[in-house]
Amino acid sequence: MFHSMVARARASNSDIAVLIEPELVLLPDFMAALQYAHGLEHDWLLVAMPPKISYFPFYMERPGKWVEQGGLPVEYEKVQQYVRRKRKWVNCGGGKLWAWNTGELPLHAGVMPAFIYGKGFHNEWLLNEALSSDFRFAFDASEAISIFDSKIGMDINGHSVENVDNTYKVGRLWEVEGNTHLATLYGSFYFRPANFSNNPVRLVECDGIYSFIIPSDETKSREAINLQLSPPETNSEKESSEHQIKNGKLMTSFRRFFLGKRQRKPSIRLGQSLLQGTGNSDVWKDKILGSRMRRQLVDCIYRSNSERRKLDCPTSKMNSVLHPALTLSLPFSLDTLLQKVTDNEKTVILAVVGNNYRDMLMSWVCRLKRLKISNFLIFAIDHQIYQFCVLQGLPVVMDAHAMNISFNDCHFGSKCFQRVTKVKSRIVLQILRLGYHVIFSDVDVYWFKNPIPYLKSFGPGVLAAQSDEYNETEPLNLPRRLNSGFYFAHSDNATIVAFDKIVKHAALSDMSEQPSFYDTLCGEGGVHRVGDNLCIEPETNLTVHFLDRNKFPNGAFRGLWEKDNVDGTCKTQGCMILHNNWISGRKRKLERQVSSGLWEYDASSRMCLQSWQGTKSMSSY
């Protein structure tokens, strides 16, 4: 997710943070541009977009060692000259490289939404917000550095290839739809002027001298640029120069950070460009204002303007108003989505959830990701949580009979709770029939470690389930003590037949599905109990194994949730999971889990909590 990448870079303690797409190649002049930017007095944000190169005759034999196609070594200066000579500007709309000084100011106002990386709008959105917010001096350094896409050039067979950004030509893919939806809802991107983020102030480098060029509506000529190379000396000249500046686009940050403030370094205002010197004032003036150097600088800036005037971007032709889909959906059936998310042994972790447990779902997902577990699937029982999961890039399917879930009054024992729980066994049965093994987990179950290998060790014909008995002196399999919020079911004939019986029993019951589990598998009153931790269903011969409470404790066992150090106590005890049940009400359950420290999600930023968060003071306005 793009917002977490930016947040990770912002948390850096280095002087400069750089966020770069992995296929880009940078030559050493990038460091010179960074050094120049680092000397600016104000917080800044550098953006760059790689140009197109239809044929690239060099390759890197090892880091820093370039060779031609024939194997002869070549100096990087030649590579750099080739890139600058052959580049064509076709990419636009944001950037693929970002760099900024790690000061206290945020990059933009507000919170960045959870864009899916590489699926459109996130780069353009970030540049738009940075320019609109005006916290930092934002500029485009694409022309000042030698940058190109490594996918552009020659393929493995030596054939010339081209890489054209098809972000806006791929059709309405669900990822693109989701990013479009987020770009519309968050920030000012929805209200942007046409072509807004294609025209930031540009940084160019001419013979070792850096110049900022201001975009303007007017077509510039060599003579116009030449006239601007001398600072205005009279009031009329000054007014004329400032009038030209006011007519330029997107000049808020440039005017604020440069034209409206005194510079420490010797500088010269160029009307539509500004140069900064780096040494003794007299020496610098002699160097810059000499007629030859001035003419070379004029020519360089003119060539740059001529190049960029040819820029023709898909985004520049977009309407100022986006038209996202009213509803979002994944183009996958249950079966096709299962094929994408299950592990090699066709095991899936299933959570069934409504919008009232949105934050707890995300904490659960973040915990699984921290444990490097990815074979999970979410079953949404209302439209709101389904849309939310799609926007978060989560694998989700929705019940054909979506419900309206009460946000705070769907707790244990309520009519809402009874309806919701009966969905769970029905979807598990559906997945079992498709040939997949299911680890069912309520989202209020905290996973300390990966229990999958342990659960699989029970083998087929066994349903391994958590016990709801909290009294240590009592058997695990007492009547109505099978917890249907955490169990492992094999996709075998005995289990499928047993679940079919559970679903039918629950449909006729005015209680939740949990009593149906016990009464079907262990018999009413526990007539099919075997020992202290087993039941055997007589018709299917399915064995129910009640899991060890030390490893799989329920929410009332040993008062674990009330311990001063829940995490440490559970780990010492050998917990694999801990169920946050035996407490009434969503709010109380949420407060208990957050206060215990067993919480993995930051709802304000919609990101999983990370160890690097808090290493540096960060703020969002």
Side-chain angles (χ1 to χ4, degrees):
M1 309 298 281
F2 185 66
H3 68 322
S4 61
M5 298 178 187
V6 174
R8 179 66 183 91
R10 281 202 62 208
S12 170
N13 287 314
S14 62
D15 291 338
I16 296 175
V18 178
L19 186 64
I20 178 172
E21 296 198 2
E23 67 272 12
L24 300 186
V25 173
L26 289 170
L27 298 185
D29 58 357
F30 173 60
M31 295 306 298
L34 280 188
Q35 289 173 353
Y36 172 76
H38 191 51
L40 299 176
E41 292 185 28
H42 312 281
D43 287 336
W44 51 271
L45 173 64
L46 176 155
V47 60
M49 200 71 179
K52 170 186 173 182
I53 301 178
S54 58
Y55 173 76
F56 188 68
F58 313 104
Y59 66 93
M60 188 178 288
E61 188 176 58
R62 63 178 184 271
K65 180 68 174 180
W66 290 91
V67 296
E68 296 180 295
Q69 292 298 326
L72 296 176
V74 59
E75 296 295 328
Y76 85 86
E77 288 86 356
K78 183 177 179 180
V79 179
Q80 175 181 309
Q81 292 170 4
Y82 183 90
V83 170
R84 294 200 173 191
R85 188 173 67 252
K86 296 293 185 178
R87 63 189 178 186
K88 294 182 180 179
W89 302 104
V90 295
N91 293 317
C92 33
K96 291 191 174 182
L97 180 145
W98 303 87
W100 59 86
N101 67 303
T102 54
E104 293 301 317
L105 285 177
L107 303 184
H108 60 89
V111 177
M112 181 181 294
F115 288 115
I116 297 177
Y117 174 69
K119 297 302 178 181
F121 292 109
H122 50 81
N123 285 318
E124 188 174 20
W125 185 94
L126 178 55
L127 180 55
N128 180 86
E129 296 307 298
L131 291 168
S132 301
S133 304
D134 198 29
F135 292 153
R136 291 168 171 262
F137 173 50
F139 59 94
D140 181 355
S142 303
E143 296 160 272
I145 61 178
S146 301
I147 181 175
F148 64 96
D149 193 326
S150 62
K151 295 179 182 178
I152 301 174
M154 301 190 70
D155 62 19
I156 194 170
N157 298 314
H159 300 132
S160 177
V161 296
E162 296 183 357
N163 181 22
V164 179
D165 187 357
N166 290 318
T167 299
Y168 301 96
K169 302 178 183 179
V170 295
R172 309 309 291 172
L173 298 178
W174 72 268
E175 298 99 332
V176 177
E177 285 283 8
N179 281 9
T180 305
H181 190 78
L182 292 172
T184 302
L185 294 180
Y186 287 80
S188 62
F189 188 74
Y190 179 81
F191 304 100
R192 76 201 186 289
N195 204 30
F196 184 84
S197 56
N198 286 334
N199 289 286
V201 173
R202 290 151 47 204
L203 177 68
V204 298
E205 183 270 327
C206 299
D207 296 322
I209 300 172
Y210 289 96
S211 173
F212 286 112
I213 300 179
I214 303 168
S216 173
D217 288 325
E218 301 177 3
T219 301
K220 303 180 185 67
S221 64
R222 290 175 184 264
E223 292 74 17
I225 296 175
N226 189 27
L227 290 173
Q228 294 162 11
L229 279 172
S230 297
E233 297 179 355
T234 65
N235 288 335
S236 60
E237 288 175 333
K238 181 177 181 180
E239 290 173 0
S240 174
S241 175
E242 291 186 350
H243 174 71
Q244 293 176 4
I245 294 171
K246 290 178 181 179
N247 286 338
K249 288 183 179 179
L250 308 183
M251 277 311 304
T252 305
S253 61
F254 190 84
R255 191 162 52 241
R256 172 184 172 187
F257 292 119
F258 286 92
L259 303 184
K261 293 187 177 182
R262 183 177 299 174
Q263 302 296 304
R264 292 179 184 173
K265 297 176 181 178
S267 61
I268 181 169
R269 187 167 63 186
L270 306 180
Q272 296 300 95
S273 63
L274 180 142
L275 302 178
Q276 288 189 301
T278 56
N280 178 273
S281 179
D282 294 334
V283 174
W284 178 77
K285 287 181 179 178
D286 290 340
K287 180 179 180 182
I288 298 298
L289 299 180
S291 59
R292 175 181 295 181
M293 181 62 70
R294 182 170 60 184
R295 173 56 58 187
Q296 291 175 348
L297 188 59
V298 170
D299 291 344
C300 178
I301 295 175
Y302 178 79
R303 287 195 304 271
S304 174
N305 283 341
S306 299
E307 260 187 68
R308 294 302 289 265
R309 278 203 300 272
K310 298 176 183 178
L311 184 65
D312 184 21
C313 308
T315 51
S316 66
K317 299 177 181 179
M318 291 174 57
N319 295 327
S320 59
V321 178
L322 297 177
H323 298 284
L326 296 178
T327 59
L328 299 172
S329 62
L330 297 182
F332 307 115
S333 65
L334 175 61
D335 192 15
T336 56
L337 195 56
L338 284 167
Q339 294 176 36
K340 289 180 175 293
V341 302
T342 55
D343 62 14
N344 294 332
E345 296 178 338
K346 301 187 70 173
T347 301
V348 64
I349 303 161
L350 175 69
V352 177
V353 66
N355 193 52
N356 56 330
Y357 275 85
R358 172 189 293 189
D359 290 348
M360 195 160 281
L361 163 69
M362 290 307 301
S363 180
W364 181 81
V365 167
C366 291
R367 184 59 189 171
L368 294 189
K369 289 187 175 183
R370 187 179 294 276
L371 294 174
K372 303 188 184 304
I373 298 172
S374 59
N375 57 318
F376 62 87
L377 175 68
I378 299 162
F379 190 82
I381 57 178
D382 58 54
H383 292 287
Q384 293 88 344
I385 194 64
Y386 178 78
Q387 296 282 302
F388 176 80
C389 289
V390 171
L391 290 173
Q392 293 292 310
L394 299 177
V396 60
V397 292
M398 186 170 63
D399 189 2
H401 307 287
M403 304 178 186
N404 291 320
I405 304 301
S406 173
F407 202 76
N408 285 314
D409 297 321
C410 201
H411 51 77
F412 181 82
S414 66
K415 293 293 183 182
C416 174
F417 178 83
Q418 293 171 12
R419 289 188 294 118
V420 169
T421 59
K422 292 178 183 181
V423 175
K424 299 177 181 180
S425 53
R426 180 161 50 83
I427 185 62
V428 170
L429 175 59
Q430 188 176 349
I431 295 173
L432 293 175
R433 284 174 170 165
L434 290 172
Y436 296 92
H437 314 304
V438 178
I439 296 176
F440 184 87
S441 176
D442 283 340
V443 296
D444 62 352
V445 174
Y446 186 86
W447 292 40
F448 287 94
K449 60 177 67 173
N450 186 350
I452 298 177
Y454 178 81
L455 294 173
K456 286 183 177 180
S457 67
F458 289 99
V462 177
L463 177 72
Q466 185 182 44
S467 172
D468 232 7
E469 178 55 54
Y470 57 85
N471 192 328
E472 293 185 66
T473 63
E474 295 290 345
L476 284 74
N477 57 358
L478 286 178
R480 300 286 174 87
R481 289 309 195 199
L482 190 157
N483 189 300
S484 61
F486 186 87
Y487 58 82
F488 178 43
H490 278 275
S491 178
D492 53 49
N493 186 63
T495 306
I496 291 173
V497 172
F499 264 82
D500 187 53
K501 295 175 65 176
I502 292 170
V503 170
K504 291 176 180 178
H505 187 283
L508 300 175
S509 171
D510 59 357
M511 296 185 290
S512 68
E513 71 164 3
Q514 186 156 298
S516 295
F517 264 81
Y518 189 90
D519 291 353
T520 299
L521 302 178
C522 296
E524 293 186 16
V527 296
H528 305 315
R529 289 172 55 198
V530 176
D532 290 341
N533 64 345
L534 299 177
C535 287
I536 297 180
E537 201 282 318
E539 182 179 339
T540 61
N541 207 34
L542 177 69
T543 298
V544 180
H545 184 103
F546 288 77
L547 293 165
D548 182 353
R549 282 173 296 195
N550 289 308
K551 291 184 174 67
F552 300 88
N554 58 64
F557 184 67
R558 289 185 177 175
L560 291 173
W561 284 106
E562 284 68 47
K563 301 295 183 183
D564 292 335
N565 184 355
V566 182
D567 182 64
T569 302
C570 280
K571 288 179 178 177
T572 301
Q573 180 177 300
C575 294
M576 289 190 174
I577 61 101
L578 173 61
H579 205 148
N580 190 5
N581 62 346
W582 285 98
I583 186 171
S584 181
R586 181 196 65 87
K587 185 177 180 181
R588 291 179 61 201
K589 180 176 293 194
L590 188 65
E591 289 174 348
R592 181 166 78 170
Q593 189 159 340
V594 172
S595 63
S596 71
L598 303 182
W599 191 255
E600 305 283 341
Y601 179 61
D602 179 9
S604 64
S605 62
R606 290 192 175 175
M607 288 193 303
C608 297
L609 294 173
Q610 303 289 345
S611 59
W612 45 263
Q613 289 176 327
T615 57
K616 179 182 176 183
S617 175
M618 296 174 62
S619 60
S620 296
Y621 294 176

